[in-house]
């Protein structure tokens, strides 16, 4: 398969860039008239394969961040590091391999070891819709090795002065409280929007009643001013800030998140309907500033080590207070132009620039006491200093061949420069890659053919190549400055059916990832070659006018072909088979959902190896089964009430990708892994006007 992909992709890299311009010339020559706001897939009343979109206006379940929202979906799995801020994986790929996009801008994680994934900064209640792209099947937002998760907001337009309000509140077990207020005051020429969000949670208990050190609180607020001098011109200025405090049971040396301060300034300018063929031009700028502080003494008692108990000798104790500070400054600019080349063809051409700086340092204050005589040492050690600059050009086209056939393809070429300052191990030992420089040129391409083979039945095949350079985390934290870029060549085939009484889809994929970045013992990194295959099945059946059944499953098998000198081995941190099923009763605006989940055991492990966010344990991860129930009701069109119970039977279990526990405060049990919460009830109200 590698040779096939290697020979195929270079032949159409150049074509994908040149084709839009040739098409413009061709359509001008024929003098075709075009439709203004076309949608080249609108002739089919069926969801687009590999790209799933849904509205967030009436979310029924609570979620502390986007990661908690996404882990409810079958193709997603997640790491648990505490009560919130888990990293999500799509088809087993996450972290820097999964692009998290908010308002057309790629979110960055500023901290190392996954304490602040991009999803942790996104509250779904503050957005209007979400789009999930499976695999490297879009090039609009960076090198999407494993896919994209895109959160966007729909601009609010006013024909006359008015107010739009969205309020969401909820509460639940383990001290859970959520509140989001989103209000827009507007007129035809100007709109002012404010969004305030806070989320709280206490320590939760697992299914056996054992308390997990996991409390958190998160706050954010955002202000957006939008100017619309004409119906085709929009200028938007935004400012956002947030902070969080999180107790982490999963980190030994770093402790807990004391603050995750975040400030963002943004601007976006849009001009629409420029000519008959030039539909829209968008220009946007963002300036991000993240300041993270972690320590092992603010949220937990200081641990005193007794080095020589008394009796028989003098009492000798040692106390270490550790602090880790990490800062990120990112500035980006993006320009995208959308063309309607004909009534059947849409093309997006763009350019993106990113300038990111990462810095981290450690400080340890140790106090050694012999009886009552104490000596204090204050040791400051730099950790990492990295600066990356990337410049990208991209083009993506959608062409409606006829009423039943759609062709999509795109290419993205990125020029990525990394410059290092001083680099050290976490314990302060200098690395020989300090003050180094390197250049990478990842190229991502895809082509996808969708064919309606029968009424409301679409078959598709997609061929894609996604590439990415090593992330700041992999280069700085795992002595990986000289890592090669990853190259994922992936094939997807499938079928989607949308009939009056049932809907279903099946997708199969296979990929070869050359130079996959594997982490060894959570300390060092290396490039290996990997094969992956997987299947996803989704089915919904209407059995009566009020009842419907649903079920889905996701399965992945991955192999590390390079191995460790003795042949291939299973790829570490691969999620097991995951299936979800249930029944939904719907009558008017009332719905009742009974759901179950069965996850098989994972015995295909590679102990001590994994990715930048976790490594496999020495033993098999057992399977588990859980059940949940929820109901929702809209007493009138502006209000939705919902409530539910998760883990009804109070199962005690942990996910395969769950982190191992680190140092935990006195009074808590070290369970080895971070277990999932036990039975939890919740209530939620949504108000939209």
């Amino acid at each position: 398969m590698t040779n096939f992909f290697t020979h195929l992709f270079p032949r159409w890299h150049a074509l994908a860039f040149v084709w839009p311009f040739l098409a413009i010339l061709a359509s001008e020559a024929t003098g075709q008239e075009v439709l203004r706001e076309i949608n080249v897939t609108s002739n089919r009343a069926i969801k687009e394969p590999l790209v799933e979109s849904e509205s967030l206006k009436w979310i029924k379940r609570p979620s502390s961040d986007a990661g908690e929202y996404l882990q409810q979906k079958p193709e997603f799995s997640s790491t648990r590091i505490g009560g919130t801020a888990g990293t999500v994986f799509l088809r087993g790929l996450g972290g820097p391999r999964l692009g998290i996009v908010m308002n057309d801008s790629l979110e960055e994680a500023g901290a190392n070891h996954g304490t602040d994934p991009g999803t942790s900064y996104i509250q779904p209640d503050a957005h209007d819709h979400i789009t999930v792209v499976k695999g490297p099947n879009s090039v609009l937002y960076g090198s999407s090795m494993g896919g994209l998760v895109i959160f966007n907001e729909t601009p609010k337009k006013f024909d006359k002065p008015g107010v739009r309000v969205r309020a969401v509140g909820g509460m639940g077990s383990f001290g859970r409280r959520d509140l989001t207020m989103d209000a827009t005051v507007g007129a035809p020429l100007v709109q002012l929007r404010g969004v305030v969000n806070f989320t709280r949670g206490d320590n939760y208990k697992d299914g056996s009643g054992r308390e997990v050190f996991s409390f958190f609180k998160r706050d954010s607020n955002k202000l957006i001013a939008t100017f619309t001098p004409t119906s085709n011109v929009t200028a938007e200025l935004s400012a956002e800030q947030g902070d969080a405090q999180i107790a982490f049971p999963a980190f030994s040396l770093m402790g807990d998140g004391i603050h995750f301060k975040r400030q963002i300034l943004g601007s976006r300018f849009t001009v629409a309907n420029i000519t008959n063929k030039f539909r829209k031009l968008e220009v946007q700028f963002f300036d991000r500033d993240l300041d993270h502080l972690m320590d092992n003494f603010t949220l937990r008692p200081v641990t005193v080590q007794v080095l020589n108990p008394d009796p028989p000798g003098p009492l000798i104790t040692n106390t270490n207070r550790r602090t880790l500070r990490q800062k990120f400054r990112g500035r980006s600019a993006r320009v995208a132009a959308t063309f309607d080349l004909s009534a059947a063809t849409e093309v997006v051409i763009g350019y993106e620039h990113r300038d990111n700086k990462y810095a981290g340092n450690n400080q340890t204050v140790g106090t050694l006491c012999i009886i009552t005589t104490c000596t204090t040492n204050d040791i400051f050690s730099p950790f990492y200093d990295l600066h990356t600059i990337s410049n990208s050009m991209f083009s993506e086209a959608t062409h409606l061949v006829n009423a039943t056939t759609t062709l999509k393809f795109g290419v993205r070429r990125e020029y990525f420069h990394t410059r290092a300052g001083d680099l050290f191990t976490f314990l302060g030992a200098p690395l020989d890659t300090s003050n180094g420089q390197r250049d990478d040129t990842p190229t991502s391409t895809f082509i996808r053919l969708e064919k309606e083979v029968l009424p409301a039945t679409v078959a598709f095949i997609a061929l894609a190549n996604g590439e990415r350079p090593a992330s700041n985390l992999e280069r700085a934290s795992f002595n990986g400055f000289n890592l090669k870029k990853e190259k994922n060549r992936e094939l997807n085939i499938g079928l989607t059916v949308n009939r009056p009484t049932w809907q279903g889809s099946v997708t199969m994929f296979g990929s070869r990832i050359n130079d996959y970045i594997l982490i060894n013992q959570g300390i060092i990194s290396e490039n290996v070659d990997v094969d992956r295959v997987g299947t996803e099945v989704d089915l919904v059946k209407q059995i009566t006018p009020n009842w419907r059944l649903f079920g889905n499953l996701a399965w992945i098998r991955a192999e590390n072909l390079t191995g460790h000198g003795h042949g291939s081995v299973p790829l570490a941190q691969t999620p097991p088979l995951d299936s979800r099923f249930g029944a939904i009763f719907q009558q008017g605006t009332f719905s009742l959902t009974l759901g179950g989940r069965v996850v098989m055991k994972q015995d295909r492990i590679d102990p001590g190896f994994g990715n930048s966010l976790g490594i496999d344990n020495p033993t098999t991860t057992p399977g588990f089964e859980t059940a949940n129930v929820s109901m929702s009701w809209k007493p009138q069109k502006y209000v939705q009430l919902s409530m539910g119970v998760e883990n009804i039977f109070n199962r005690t279990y942990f996910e395969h990708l769950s982190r191992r526990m680190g140092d935990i405060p006195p009074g808590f049990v070290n369970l080895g892994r971070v277990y999932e919460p036990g039975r939890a009830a919740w209530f939620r109200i949504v108000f939209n006007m």
Side-chain angles (χ1 to χ4, degrees):
M1 185 166 67
T2 304
N3 290 336
F4 170 71
F5 277 104
T6 303
H7 286 87
L8 174 65
F9 278 96
R11 298 177 183 273
W12 54 281
H13 280 169
L15 176 62
F17 272 125
V18 173
W19 179 86
F21 301 102
L22 296 178
I24 291 174
L25 294 176
S27 60
E28 291 286 357
T30 58
Q32 286 184 313
E33 290 297 322
V34 299
L35 301 177
R36 278 295 179 147
E37 290 288 337
I38 65 168
N39 181 351
V40 296
T41 60
S42 61
N43 289 345
R44 295 202 306 264
I46 193 168
K47 69 179 183 180
E48 185 179 1
L50 300 179
V51 180
E52 298 180 357
S53 297
E54 65 182 52
S55 171
L56 299 175
K57 188 175 182 179
W58 298 104
I59 304 175
K60 297 179 180 180
R61 293 173 178 266
S63 52
S64 63
D65 61 15
E68 187 174 351
Y69 172 81
L70 289 167
Q71 70 183 24
Q72 301 167 10
K73 298 181 176 297
E75 296 88 358
F76 285 89
S77 49
S78 68
T79 63
R80 180 169 288 278
I81 59 176
T84 187
T87 298
V88 294
F89 290 72
L90 175 59
R91 294 177 165 180
L93 300 180
R97 299 183 177 100
L98 179 63
I100 306 298
V101 180
M102 183 172 67
N103 294 330
D104 296 330
S105 177
L106 194 66
E107 285 294 300
E108 292 281 352
N112 72 335
H113 290 78
T115 57
D116 76 325
T119 50
S120 68
Y121 295 118
I122 299 175
Q123 172 49 250
D125 287 323
H127 295 79
D128 295 311
H129 54 87
I130 178 177
T131 301
V132 175
V133 181
K134 299 178 183 179
N137 285 288
S138 177
V139 297
L140 296 181
Y141 305 105
S143 303
S144 56
M145 274 275 301
L148 290 169
V149 180
I150 306 165
F151 288 86
N152 273 324
E153 300 161 20
T154 302
K156 296 175 174 58
K157 298 181 179 181
F158 292 79
D159 297 326
K160 59 182 180 179
V163 178
R164 309 271 178 83
V165 177
R166 184 167 193 257
V168 182
M171 61 180 60
S173 302
F174 312 124
R176 182 65 176 269
R177 291 93 71 200
D178 305 302
L179 177 65
T180 300
M181 295 292 296
D182 185 343
T184 304
V185 179
L189 293 181
V190 62
Q191 301 88 44
L192 185 64
R193 180 186 180 200
V195 183
V196 177
N197 169 260
F198 81 82
T199 303
R200 303 285 188 272
D202 297 335
N203 295 332
Y204 67 79
K205 294 182 180 180
D206 69 5
S208 298
R210 298 169 297 190
E211 188 174 0
V212 178
F213 182 64
S214 57
F215 67 89
F216 67 92
K217 59 180 180 180
R218 176 182 286 120
D219 303 277
S220 65
N221 49 76
K222 185 176 183 179
L223 189 64
I224 307 168
T226 304
F227 304 92
T228 52
T230 73
S231 60
N232 293 324
V233 177
T234 301
E236 179 182 292
L237 304 175
S238 62
E240 181 177 354
Q241 66 176 13
D243 200 355
Q245 194 172 77
I246 306 173
F248 287 128
F251 299 106
S252 295
L253 295 177
M254 295 183 293
D256 310 307
I258 307 309
H259 70 236
F260 291 85
K261 294 182 178 179
R262 178 176 186 249
Q263 295 180 337
I264 300 179
L265 296 176
S267 59
R268 182 201 297 256
F269 307 94
T270 303
V271 182
N273 299 321
I274 300 171
T275 70
N276 283 339
K277 298 189 184 301
F278 194 169
R279 187 206 305 175
K280 184 170 59 175
L281 176 66
E282 294 178 290
V283 181
Q284 63 180 30
F285 305 92
F286 282 99
D287 190 334
R288 290 177 168 82
D289 194 338
L290 309 181
D291 183 359
H292 296 169
L293 179 67
M294 300 182 69
D295 70 35
N296 69 340
F297 55 86
T298 299
L299 302 184
R300 60 178 73 194
V302 177
T303 301
V304 178
Q305 297 174 294
V306 179
L307 303 181
N308 189 16
D310 185 18
L315 179 64
I316 302 176
T317 62
N318 184 56
T319 304
N320 284 323
R321 292 174 172 84
R322 295 185 295 269
T323 301
L324 168 62
R325 180 179 292 276
Q326 298 172 97
K327 291 191 174 184
F328 166 78
R329 175 74 183 280
R331 288 167 289 184
S332 64
R334 184 176 184 269
V335 181
T338 303
F339 297 91
D340 295 336
L341 302 186
S342 71
T345 306
E346 174 188 284
V347 176
V348 179
I349 301 174
Y351 164 81
E352 186 170 17
H353 170 81
R354 304 184 68 84
D355 187 329
N356 296 332
K357 295 180 180 179
Y358 309 84
N361 59 69
N362 301 311
Q363 185 175 14
T364 301
V365 178
T367 301
L368 180 68
C369 296
I370 302 177
I371 308 180
T372 59
T373 303
C374 297
T375 303
T376 299
N377 293 313
D378 189 344
I379 302 174
F380 176 87
S381 58
F383 187 9
Y384 60 85
D385 179 11
L386 283 174
H387 184 191
T388 64
I389 298 176
S390 67
N391 292 282
S392 308
M393 292 187 65
F394 58 89
S395 175
E396 188 165 307
T398 303
H399 178 63
L400 189 64
V401 179
N402 53 47
T404 62
T405 307
T406 301
L407 179 67
K408 298 192 175 190
F409 57 92
V411 62
R412 186 183 186 101
R413 180 73 166 179
E414 187 171 4
Y415 300 89
F416 199 92
H417 177 73
T418 304
R419 183 168 63 249
D422 293 329
L423 300 177
F424 299 82
T425 67
F426 189 81
L427 299 178
L431 298 175
D432 57 11
T433 51
S434 295
N435 303 306
Q437 297 188 48
R438 62 172 293 118
D439 292 296
D440 296 278
T441 53
T443 301
S444 297
T445 50
F446 79 94
I447 183 168
R448 182 164 76 249
L449 181 66
E450 304 164 7
K451 174 70 174 178
E452 192 167 1
V453 292
L454 294 170
T457 303
V458 174
F460 65 90
I461 181 170
L463 197 61
N465 175 73
E467 299 181 356
R468 73 167 187 99
S471 69
N472 66 301
L473 169 58
E474 293 158 335
R475 294 207 193 281
S477 298
F478 303 105
N479 194 15
F481 188 79
N482 292 320
L483 287 167
K484 300 176 183 177
K485 64 181 180 182
E486 291 184 340
K487 299 170 282 290
N488 179 23
R489 294 169 171 86
E490 183 170 300
L491 173 68
N492 283 266
I493 58 174
L495 192 70
T496 302
V497 182
N498 190 359
R499 298 297 173 86
T501 59
W502 67 278
Q503 300 84 42
S505 67
V506 57
T507 301
M508 294 176 287
F509 70 90
S511 84
R512 164 68 60 86
I513 304 180
N514 293 116
D515 297 317
Y516 178 93
I517 297 173
L518 185 73
I519 306 302
N520 181 354
Q521 308 301 324
I523 300 174
I524 59 176
S525 55
E526 59 181 314
N527 289 113
V528 299
D529 292 337
V530 167
D531 269 352
R532 302 164 60 246
V533 294
T535 301
E536 297 153 357
V537 179
D538 195 350
L539 181 65
V540 178
K541 171 66 175 177
Q542 193 83 33
I543 56 174
T544 74
N546 298 110
W547 283 96
R548 66 182 183 272
L549 304 177
F550 68 89
N552 50 62
L553 65 84
W555 171 78
I556 306 168
R557 182 183 178 93
E559 193 81 6
N560 175 359
L561 303 177
T562 304
H564 313 304
H566 305 286
S568 65
V569 296
L571 179 64
Q573 292 288 279
T574 297
L577 186 149
D578 191 333
S579 62
R580 310 184 193 214
F581 52 88
I584 300 174
F585 173 81
Q586 181 87 41
Q587 185 170 19
T589 62
F590 174 82
S591 68
L592 170 69
T593 302
L594 305 171
R597 182 183 177 210
V598 175
V599 178
M600 304 299 291
K601 70 176 182 179
Q602 182 57 289
D603 53 8
R604 288 181 48 79
I605 58 176
D606 190 11
F609 292 84
N611 53 51
S612 59
L613 301 167
I615 59 176
D616 275 1
N617 280 277
T619 57
T620 295
T621 300
F624 60 87
E625 311 85 29
T626 65
N628 63 78
V629 60
S630 64
M631 61 186 71
S632 70
W633 176 49
K634 294 183 69 176
Q636 52 106 344
K637 66 178 182 179
Y638 299 120
V639 179
Q640 175 183 272
L641 306 175
S642 57
M643 61 185 300
V645 180
E646 307 297 323
N647 194 0
I648 296 174
F649 301 110
N650 212 23
R651 299 290 191 185
T652 302
Y653 70 100
F654 57 85
E655 302 277 358
H656 176 63
L657 300 183
S658 175
R659 289 287 192 97
R660 288 188 287 185
M661 279 193 168
D663 295 333
I664 59 174
F668 295 87
V669 179
N670 192 326
L671 306 175
R673 302 287 289 276
V674 183
Y675 278 69
E676 293 296 306
R679 184 186 299 113
W682 52 266
F683 171 79
R684 177 178 166 88
I685 181 170
V686 179
F687 175 78
N688 270 311
M689 185 179 71

